[in-house]
Amino acid sequence: MKRRESVEMSGSLNMDDIGFQAEQPEQVLSQMDLKMMQYISERLSLLKEKGQEQIGFFSIVEGETKESKLKAFQELLSLEAKGVISMQQEEPFGDIIIIQKEEL
């Protein structure tokens, strides 16, 4: 049986390096966190041009595989835990509204 070894992610940035104030300063953004933040920011910019201020999870993962949807949800949970976004869901199994806490 192979032993799993922990590997530190290279390329991680501290939130202060990109102008964010973390609720927990020791939190670090991974490359995947940064990619998700950029994607959300770009989508929100497009929606704001149309007069909308929020984005739903369903619209982010529309047409994706189950695995991609799960990974996207995990990344959103990571960003919420780090204080970058907040999420709201009004009813079980309903869309999850993503709210940007800071300008990305």
Side-chain angles (χ1 to χ4, degrees):
M1 178 167 31
K2 291 185 178 180
R3 188 177 135 220
R4 289 184 158 211
E5 294 183 12
S6 169
V7 178
E8 185 176 325
M9 286 199 63
S10 62
S12 294
L13 295 174
N14 185 294
M15 293 175 89
D16 293 332
D17 295 338
I18 58 171
F20 284 94
Q21 297 300 316
E23 290 179 1
Q24 299 175 359
E26 69 278 1
Q27 296 292 343
V28 174
L29 293 176
S30 70
Q31 290 296 323
M32 290 302 294
D33 289 339
L34 293 172
K35 286 180 183 179
M36 180 60 81
M37 287 171 51
Q38 181 179 7
Y39 181 76
I40 291 170
S41 182
E42 289 171 359
R43 292 289 300 264
L44 280 171
S45 292
L46 292 172
L47 291 172
K48 284 180 181 180
E49 291 174 6
K50 297 177 182 179
Q52 297 176 320
E53 295 291 325
Q54 57 192 19
I55 189 168
F57 178 71
F58 292 165
S59 70
I60 290 175
V61 297
E62 185 177 4
E64 296 292 334
T65 64
K66 288 182 182 181
E67 292 81 13
S68 294
K69 290 176 183 180
L70 175 60
K71 185 62 180 166
F73 185 68
Q74 289 172 329
E75 289 302 319
L76 291 172
L77 288 176
S78 173
L79 290 173
E80 184 176 45
K82 293 172 183 175
V84 177
I85 64 169
S86 63
M87 296 188 288
Q88 298 175 350
Q89 186 178 35
E90 292 186 14
E91 59 187 45
F93 306 104
D95 200 4
I96 300 167
I97 304 304
I98 301 159
I99 300 155
Q100 186 176 333
K101 288 189 174 182
E102 301 274 346
E103 280 299 315
L104 302 181

